[in-house]
Amino acid sequence: MIKRLLALDGVVAVCRFRDDGSLMEGYGGHIDSGQMSALARVAHEYRRMLQGHTDQFSMFSDRRGWTPPRGWLVRGDTRSLCGVAGVVCIFDNDDSNFDRILTEMLEVAHW
Amino acid sequence: MSIVADLMSRPGVLAAGEYAFRGDRFSYRGALSEEHARMASIMCRATTMGVVMEGRMADNAKPGSRLARTRGWAVRCPEYTVCVVANVFCFASNAPGVVDGVLALMRKTLADTDMELV
Amino acid sequence: MATLGNLMSLPGAVAAFEFRASGELLGYEIRPDTPLNSEELELLSFMCAANMSLCSMQSRGWEKITGMGGFSPVREFTLIGFDWSVVVSCAQREAQRAAGQEALAPYQGVVLANTGAAYEASFAALERG
């Protein structure tokens, strides 16, 4: 079902990964399987790092509502990377609407 | 003797412990409360995970470089230094010679730990 | 503030560098015949800047929760690699900040071969004004 993210404007690739970071499924025209696996691995590791950082932030600030983090976005010069749970996608900044992408990501990531 | 006991026998070491790379288990000895030791293990685990993963990402960006093979880290504070190698942490004073001795012992003793487990 | 040349004279030093708090590499020296280049030093700078920030967050939080002093502000962060270690310092910068200066020094760092690495000498050299 994550494939439906590709129908959104600007989305160029999407993949789902397992808890060990291995690629479960990936879609995107110009990305080969090696690059897709690398994307899965980076997204998995970034997610774990972010979880560790937000856990500490919650511990120190004693404030609820931050953890576990639901997702992350790294906005680059022309492209961005967005992860929610075990799903990550790449999209072009100019052709996309991030609000729509995030809404869809939050939905498909938990299927 | 375990690495933690070895560390605790050195002058200038306040506390030392071990944490599981994954999960919440930890053990420790020294001048920390149980709750503070739990916090220390959470912080050390998170930073170790971070530096190891950053190393792997750097290796993706620059394949073949030796940046990926991270074994540990240390943070030097005004009065204390926190030293972490593999899954062992140590709080040491900044008195001369203490940190060099602690890091040498930790690097030697923990040289064979599989960091892929992080 | 230490010069890159001074840092290169530390035992085990194979490279010395300066970078912004954002991680941007500003200057460097690399010992000839060392398999390191500016691209790798810039990656290291980004990594060390990030960890310096994270350790600052941790040291403040730790002091607040435990009531223990002596951890904040962080002076140096050290990454222990398989063959090399890198020690980076914000001590000069923190001293300038405490003195109310507006223009702050860059971070400085030194890459050490693990064999013969002198961590404490590196801390001292990086902290010397």
Side-chain angles (χ1 to χ4, degrees), chain B residues 89-118:
Chain B
F89 65 89
C90 179
F91 280 49
S93 89
N94 285 354
V98 173
V99 169
D100 276 348
V102 162
L103 284 175
L105 174 65
M106 293 176 86
R107 276 177 35 207
K108 185 178 171 201
T109 310
L110 300 165
D112 296 329
T113 307
D114 182 5
M115 298 303 282
E116 291 300 315
L117 296 171
V118 172

PDB file of all heavy atoms in Angstrom, chain B residues 89-118:
ATOM      1  N   PHE B  89      30.582   2.220  30.500  1.00  0.00           N
ATOM      2  CA  PHE B  89      30.772   3.645  30.771  1.00  0.00           C
ATOM      3  C   PHE B  89      31.537   3.851  32.075  1.00  0.00           C
ATOM      4  O   PHE B  89      31.514   3.005  32.969  1.00  0.00           O
ATOM      5  CB  PHE B  89      29.439   4.400  30.810  1.00  0.00           C
ATOM      6  CG  PHE B  89      28.504   4.018  31.929  1.00  0.00           C
ATOM      7  CD1 PHE B  89      28.568   4.651  33.171  1.00  0.00           C
ATOM      8  CD2 PHE B  89      27.535   3.042  31.746  1.00  0.00           C
ATOM      9  CE1 PHE B  89      27.690   4.317  34.201  1.00  0.00           C
ATOM     10  CE2 PHE B  89      26.658   2.694  32.769  1.00  0.00           C
ATOM     11  CZ  PHE B  89      26.735   3.328  33.998  1.00  0.00           C
ATOM     12  N   CYS B  90      32.202   4.992  32.138  1.00  0.00           N
ATOM     13  CA  CYS B  90      33.002   5.290  33.323  1.00  0.00           C
ATOM     14  C   CYS B  90      32.990   6.792  33.575  1.00  0.00           C
ATOM     15  O   CYS B  90      33.259   7.575  32.653  1.00  0.00           O
ATOM     16  CB  CYS B  90      34.439   4.804  33.093  1.00  0.00           C
ATOM     17  SG  CYS B  90      35.538   5.133  34.479  1.00  0.00           S
ATOM     18  N   PHE B  91      32.658   7.190  34.790  1.00  0.00           N
ATOM     19  CA  PHE B  91      32.736   8.594  35.192  1.00  0.00           C
ATOM     20  C   PHE B  91      34.064   8.763  35.926  1.00  0.00           C
ATOM     21  O   PHE B  91      34.294   8.136  36.967  1.00  0.00           O
ATOM     22  CB  PHE B  91      31.588   8.959  36.140  1.00  0.00           C
ATOM     23  CG  PHE B  91      30.276   9.217  35.452  1.00  0.00           C
ATOM     24  CD1 PHE B  91      29.765   8.331  34.512  1.00  0.00           C
ATOM     25  CD2 PHE B  91      29.540  10.354  35.747  1.00  0.00           C
ATOM     26  CE1 PHE B  91      28.548   8.570  33.885  1.00  0.00           C
ATOM     27  CE2 PHE B  91      28.323  10.606  35.120  1.00  0.00           C
ATOM     28  CZ  PHE B  91      27.827   9.719  34.190  1.00  0.00           C
ATOM     29  N   ALA B  92      34.945   9.625  35.392  1.00  0.00           N
ATOM     30  CA  ALA B  92      36.277   9.789  35.983  1.00  0.00           C
ATOM     31  C   ALA B  92      36.535  11.252  36.301  1.00  0.00           C
ATOM     32  O   ALA B  92      35.998  12.149  35.640  1.00  0.00           O
ATOM     33  CB  ALA B  92      37.332   9.276  34.998  1.00  0.00           C
ATOM     34  N   SER B  93      37.367  11.489  37.288  1.00  0.00           N
ATOM     35  CA  SER B  93      37.737  12.866  37.613  1.00  0.00           C
ATOM     36  C   SER B  93      38.741  13.359  36.576  1.00  0.00           C
ATOM     37  O   SER B  93      39.365  12.572  35.855  1.00  0.00           O
ATOM     38  CB  SER B  93      38.340  12.944  39.013  1.00  0.00           C
ATOM     39  OG  SER B  93      39.736  12.741  38.942  1.00  0.00           O
ATOM     40  N   ASN B  94      38.894  14.681  36.518  1.00  0.00           N
ATOM     41  CA  ASN B  94      39.845  15.253  35.560  1.00  0.00           C
ATOM     42  C   ASN B  94      41.258  15.351  36.142  1.00  0.00           C
ATOM     43  O   ASN B  94      42.102  16.018  35.554  1.00  0.00           O
ATOM     44  CB  ASN B  94      39.384  16.652  35.124  1.00  0.00           C
ATOM     45  CG  ASN B  94      38.222  16.594  34.145  1.00  0.00           C
ATOM     46  OD1 ASN B  94      37.836  15.516  33.719  1.00  0.00           O
ATOM     47  ND2 ASN B  94      37.684  17.734  33.786  1.00  0.00           N
ATOM     48  N   ALA B  95      41.524  14.708  37.264  1.00  0.00           N
ATOM     49  CA  ALA B  95      42.877  14.747  37.844  1.00  0.00           C
ATOM     50  C   ALA B  95      43.880  14.189  36.833  1.00  0.00           C
ATOM     51  O   ALA B  95      43.540  13.269  36.078  1.00  0.00           O
ATOM     52  CB  ALA B  95      42.906  13.928  39.131  1.00  0.00           C
ATOM     53  N   PRO B  96      45.104  14.739  36.812  1.00  0.00           N
ATOM     54  CA  PRO B  96      46.075  14.328  35.793  1.00  0.00           C
ATOM     55  C   PRO B  96      46.286  12.810  35.750  1.00  0.00           C
ATOM     56  O   PRO B  96      46.423  12.168  36.785  1.00  0.00           O
ATOM     57  CB  PRO B  96      47.360  15.050  36.221  1.00  0.00           C
ATOM     58  CG  PRO B  96      46.884  16.233  36.987  1.00  0.00           C
ATOM     59  CD  PRO B  96      45.638  15.798  37.693  1.00  0.00           C
ATOM     60  N   GLY B  97      46.283  12.261  34.561  1.00  0.00           N
ATOM     61  CA  GLY B  97      46.577  10.842  34.370  1.00  0.00           C
ATOM     62  C   GLY B  97      45.391   9.914  34.460  1.00  0.00           C
ATOM     63  O   GLY B  97      45.473   8.764  34.005  1.00  0.00           O
ATOM     64  N   VAL B  98      44.300  10.382  35.057  1.00  0.00           N
ATOM     65  CA  VAL B  98      43.165   9.480  35.279  1.00  0.00           C
ATOM     66  C   VAL B  98      42.531   9.050  33.949  1.00  0.00           C
ATOM     67  O   VAL B  98      42.347   7.861  33.676  1.00  0.00           O
ATOM     68  CB  VAL B  98      42.107  10.135  36.205  1.00  0.00           C
ATOM     69  CG1 VAL B  98      40.858   9.260  36.280  1.00  0.00           C
ATOM     70  CG2 VAL B  98      42.689  10.368  37.593  1.00  0.00           C
ATOM     71  N   VAL B  99      42.205  10.028  33.109  1.00  0.00           N
ATOM     72  CA  VAL B  99      41.460   9.705  31.883  1.00  0.00           C
ATOM     73  C   VAL B  99      42.321   8.906  30.894  1.00  0.00           C
ATOM     74  O   VAL B  99      41.834   7.946  30.276  1.00  0.00           O
ATOM     75  CB  VAL B  99      40.905  10.993  31.237  1.00  0.00           C
ATOM     76  CG1 VAL B  99      40.366  10.717  29.842  1.00  0.00           C
ATOM     77  CG2 VAL B  99      39.792  11.558  32.116  1.00  0.00           C
ATOM     78  N   ASP B 100      43.580   9.269  30.758  1.00  0.00           N
ATOM     79  CA  ASP B 100      44.452   8.493  29.861  1.00  0.00           C
ATOM     80  C   ASP B 100      44.499   7.033  30.299  1.00  0.00           C
ATOM     81  O   ASP B 100      44.433   6.115  29.471  1.00  0.00           O
ATOM     82  CB  ASP B 100      45.876   9.070  29.835  1.00  0.00           C
ATOM     83  CG  ASP B 100      46.000  10.233  28.842  1.00  0.00           C
ATOM     84  OD1 ASP B 100      45.072  10.432  28.040  1.00  0.00           O
ATOM     85  OD2 ASP B 100      47.026  10.930  28.889  1.00  0.00           O
ATOM     86  N   GLY B 101      44.609   6.807  31.617  1.00  0.00           N
ATOM     87  CA  GLY B 101      44.663   5.433  32.130  1.00  0.00           C
ATOM     88  C   GLY B 101      43.359   4.692  31.914  1.00  0.00           C
ATOM     89  O   GLY B 101      43.349   3.526  31.511  1.00  0.00           O
ATOM     90  N   VAL B 102      42.262   5.376  32.160  1.00  0.00           N
ATOM     91  CA  VAL B 102      40.933   4.757  31.982  1.00  0.00           C
ATOM     92  C   VAL B 102      40.705   4.388  30.522  1.00  0.00           C
ATOM     93  O   VAL B 102      40.295   3.266  30.198  1.00  0.00           O
ATOM     94  CB  VAL B 102      39.830   5.730  32.482  1.00  0.00           C
ATOM     95  CG1 VAL B 102      38.461   5.341  31.936  1.00  0.00           C
ATOM     96  CG2 VAL B 102      39.804   5.760  34.006  1.00  0.00           C
ATOM     97  N   LEU B 103      41.004   5.325  29.619  1.00  0.00           N
ATOM     98  CA  LEU B 103      40.759   5.049  28.196  1.00  0.00           C
ATOM     99  C   LEU B 103      41.681   3.949  27.671  1.00  0.00           C
ATOM    100  O   LEU B 103      41.266   3.118  26.864  1.00  0.00           O
ATOM    101  CB  LEU B 103      40.915   6.329  27.367  1.00  0.00           C
ATOM    102  CG  LEU B 103      39.736   7.310  27.472  1.00  0.00           C
ATOM    103  CD1 LEU B 103      40.036   8.603  26.714  1.00  0.00           C
ATOM    104  CD2 LEU B 103      38.446   6.688  26.941  1.00  0.00           C
ATOM    105  N   ALA B 104      42.914   3.941  28.140  1.00  0.00           N
ATOM    106  CA  ALA B 104      43.839   2.882  27.700  1.00  0.00           C
ATOM    107  C   ALA B 104      43.317   1.517  28.141  1.00  0.00           C
ATOM    108  O   ALA B 104      43.293   0.559  27.354  1.00  0.00           O
ATOM    109  CB  ALA B 104      45.225   3.144  28.267  1.00  0.00           C
ATOM    110  N   LEU B 105      42.870   1.421  29.379  1.00  0.00           N
ATOM    111  CA  LEU B 105      42.335   0.150  29.889  1.00  0.00           C
ATOM    112  C   LEU B 105      41.076  -0.261  29.126  1.00  0.00           C
ATOM    113  O   LEU B 105      40.927  -1.425  28.714  1.00  0.00           O
ATOM    114  CB  LEU B 105      42.019   0.290  31.387  1.00  0.00           C
ATOM    115  CG  LEU B 105      41.318  -0.904  32.028  1.00  0.00           C
ATOM    116  CD1 LEU B 105      42.218  -2.139  32.017  1.00  0.00           C
ATOM    117  CD2 LEU B 105      40.885  -0.584  33.457  1.00  0.00           C
ATOM    118  N   MET B 106      40.186   0.692  28.915  1.00  0.00           N
ATOM    119  CA  MET B 106      38.930   0.367  28.230  1.00  0.00           C
ATOM    120  C   MET B 106      39.186  -0.048  26.783  1.00  0.00           C
ATOM    121  O   MET B 106      38.608  -1.021  26.290  1.00  0.00           O
ATOM    122  CB  MET B 106      37.968   1.569  28.279  1.00  0.00           C
ATOM    123  CG  MET B 106      37.483   1.890  29.681  1.00  0.00           C
ATOM    124  SD  MET B 106      36.456   3.374  29.750  1.00  0.00           S
ATOM    125  CE  MET B 106      34.837   2.699  29.380  1.00  0.00           C
ATOM    126  N   ARG B 107      40.049   0.690  26.097  1.00  0.00           N
ATOM    127  CA  ARG B 107      40.329   0.358  24.691  1.00  0.00           C
ATOM    128  C   ARG B 107      40.947  -1.019  24.575  1.00  0.00           C
ATOM    129  O   ARG B 107      40.620  -1.799  23.681  1.00  0.00           O
ATOM    130  CB  ARG B 107      41.242   1.416  24.078  1.00  0.00           C
ATOM    131  CG  ARG B 107      40.496   2.633  23.572  1.00  0.00           C
ATOM    132  CD  ARG B 107      41.434   3.702  23.033  1.00  0.00           C
ATOM    133  NE  ARG B 107      42.590   3.145  22.380  1.00  0.00           N
ATOM    134  CZ  ARG B 107      43.773   3.757  22.275  1.00  0.00           C
ATOM    135  NH1 ARG B 107      43.947   4.946  22.802  1.00  0.00           N
ATOM    136  NH2 ARG B 107      44.769   3.180  21.652  1.00  0.00           N
ATOM    137  N   LYS B 108      41.856  -1.335  25.500  1.00  0.00           N
ATOM    138  CA  LYS B 108      42.547  -2.636  25.444  1.00  0.00           C
ATOM    139  C   LYS B 108      41.579  -3.774  25.777  1.00  0.00           C
ATOM    140  O   LYS B 108      41.493  -4.775  25.059  1.00  0.00           O
ATOM    141  CB  LYS B 108      43.727  -2.622  26.421  1.00  0.00           C
ATOM    142  CG  LYS B 108      44.579  -3.856  26.359  1.00  0.00           C
ATOM    143  CD  LYS B 108      45.750  -3.742  27.317  1.00  0.00           C
ATOM    144  CE  LYS B 108      46.462  -5.085  27.409  1.00  0.00           C
ATOM    145  NZ  LYS B 108      47.243  -5.211  28.624  1.00  0.00           N
ATOM    146  N   THR B 109      40.847  -3.612  26.867  1.00  0.00           N
ATOM    147  CA  THR B 109      39.980  -4.696  27.347  1.00  0.00           C
ATOM    148  C   THR B 109      38.795  -4.940  26.415  1.00  0.00           C
ATOM    149  O   THR B 109      38.339  -6.071  26.266  1.00  0.00           O
ATOM    150  CB  THR B 109      39.461  -4.363  28.758  1.00  0.00           C
ATOM    151  OG1 THR B 109      40.564  -3.986  29.558  1.00  0.00           O
ATOM    152  CG2 THR B 109      38.741  -5.541  29.382  1.00  0.00           C
ATOM    153  N   LEU B 110      38.299  -3.877  25.808  1.00  0.00           N
ATOM    154  CA  LEU B 110      37.063  -3.990  25.022  1.00  0.00           C
ATOM    155  C   LEU B 110      37.321  -3.982  23.516  1.00  0.00           C
ATOM    156  O   LEU B 110      36.409  -3.784  22.721  1.00  0.00           O
ATOM    157  CB  LEU B 110      36.115  -2.839  25.404  1.00  0.00           C
ATOM    158  CG  LEU B 110      35.721  -2.829  26.883  1.00  0.00           C
ATOM    159  CD1 LEU B 110      35.113  -1.499  27.286  1.00  0.00           C
ATOM    160  CD2 LEU B 110      34.753  -3.968  27.196  1.00  0.00           C
ATOM    161  N   ALA B 111      38.575  -4.226  23.137  1.00  0.00           N
ATOM    162  CA  ALA B 111      38.964  -4.121  21.726  1.00  0.00           C
ATOM    163  C   ALA B 111      38.199  -5.080  20.829  1.00  0.00           C
ATOM    164  O   ALA B 111      37.988  -4.801  19.648  1.00  0.00           O
ATOM    165  CB  ALA B 111      40.465  -4.352  21.571  1.00  0.00           C
ATOM    166  N   ASP B 112      37.766  -6.213  21.358  1.00  0.00           N
ATOM    167  CA  ASP B 112      37.136  -7.221  20.504  1.00  0.00           C
ATOM    168  C   ASP B 112      35.613  -7.183  20.520  1.00  0.00           C
ATOM    169  O   ASP B 112      34.964  -8.055  19.937  1.00  0.00           O
ATOM    170  CB  ASP B 112      37.606  -8.621  20.929  1.00  0.00           C
ATOM    171  CG  ASP B 112      39.101  -8.786  20.699  1.00  0.00           C
ATOM    172  OD1 ASP B 112      39.612  -8.160  19.741  1.00  0.00           O
ATOM    173  OD2 ASP B 112      39.751  -9.497  21.481  1.00  0.00           O
ATOM    174  N   THR B 113      35.043  -6.201  21.190  1.00  0.00           N
ATOM    175  CA  THR B 113      33.576  -6.137  21.228  1.00  0.00           C
ATOM    176  C   THR B 113      33.028  -5.890  19.825  1.00  0.00           C
ATOM    177  O   THR B 113      33.536  -5.048  19.092  1.00  0.00           O
ATOM    178  CB  THR B 113      33.112  -4.987  22.147  1.00  0.00           C
ATOM    179  OG1 THR B 113      33.736  -5.141  23.412  1.00  0.00           O
ATOM    180  CG2 THR B 113      31.599  -5.003  22.317  1.00  0.00           C
ATOM    181  N   ASP B 114      31.994  -6.643  19.476  1.00  0.00           N
ATOM    182  CA  ASP B 114      31.395  -6.515  18.149  1.00  0.00           C
ATOM    183  C   ASP B 114      30.460  -5.303  18.128  1.00  0.00           C
ATOM    184  O   ASP B 114      29.365  -5.344  18.682  1.00  0.00           O
ATOM    185  CB  ASP B 114      30.619  -7.797  17.817  1.00  0.00           C
ATOM    186  CG  ASP B 114      30.000  -7.753  16.434  1.00  0.00           C
ATOM    187  OD1 ASP B 114      30.250  -6.769  15.714  1.00  0.00           O
ATOM    188  OD2 ASP B 114      29.283  -8.696  16.083  1.00  0.00           O
ATOM    189  N   MET B 115      30.897  -4.230  17.460  1.00  0.00           N
ATOM    190  CA  MET B 115      30.080  -3.004  17.439  1.00  0.00           C
ATOM    191  C   MET B 115      28.898  -3.128  16.476  1.00  0.00           C
ATOM    192  O   MET B 115      28.054  -2.239  16.421  1.00  0.00           O
ATOM    193  CB  MET B 115      30.948  -1.793  17.091  1.00  0.00           C
ATOM    194  CG  MET B 115      32.061  -1.515  18.088  1.00  0.00           C
ATOM    195  SD  MET B 115      31.467  -1.275  19.792  1.00  0.00           S
ATOM    196  CE  MET B 115      30.842   0.402  19.706  1.00  0.00           C
ATOM    197  N   GLU B 116      28.858  -4.218  15.700  1.00  0.00           N
ATOM    198  CA  GLU B 116      27.690  -4.436  14.845  1.00  0.00           C
ATOM    199  C   GLU B 116      26.435  -4.694  15.687  1.00  0.00           C
ATOM    200  O   GLU B 116      25.316  -4.640  15.193  1.00  0.00           O
ATOM    201  CB  GLU B 116      27.919  -5.625  13.907  1.00  0.00           C
ATOM    202  CG  GLU B 116      28.958  -5.371  12.840  1.00  0.00           C
ATOM    203  CD  GLU B 116      28.588  -4.210  11.928  1.00  0.00           C
ATOM    204  OE1 GLU B 116      27.425  -4.141  11.502  1.00  0.00           O
ATOM    205  OE2 GLU B 116      29.457  -3.357  11.675  1.00  0.00           O
ATOM    206  N   LEU B 117      26.657  -5.018  16.962  1.00  0.00           N
ATOM    207  CA  LEU B 117      25.524  -5.298  17.839  1.00  0.00           C
ATOM    208  C   LEU B 117      24.759  -4.027  18.210  1.00  0.00           C
ATOM    209  O   LEU B 117      23.643  -4.094  18.705  1.00  0.00           O
ATOM    210  CB  LEU B 117      26.010  -5.974  19.133  1.00  0.00           C
ATOM    211  CG  LEU B 117      26.659  -7.347  18.957  1.00  0.00           C
ATOM    212  CD1 LEU B 117      27.284  -7.814  20.269  1.00  0.00           C
ATOM    213  CD2 LEU B 117      25.624  -8.357  18.471  1.00  0.00           C
ATOM    214  N   VAL B 118      25.389  -2.866  17.971  1.00  0.00           N
ATOM    215  CA  VAL B 118      24.738  -1.601  18.350  1.00  0.00           C
ATOM    216  C   VAL B 118      23.460  -1.426  17.545  1.00  0.00           C
ATOM    217  O   VAL B 118      23.467  -1.609  16.337  1.00  0.00           O
ATOM    218  CB  VAL B 118      25.674  -0.404  18.094  1.00  0.00           C
ATOM    219  CG1 VAL B 118      24.943   0.916  18.305  1.00  0.00           C
ATOM    220  CG2 VAL B 118      26.878  -0.500  18.997  1.00  0.00           C
TER     221      VAL B 118
END
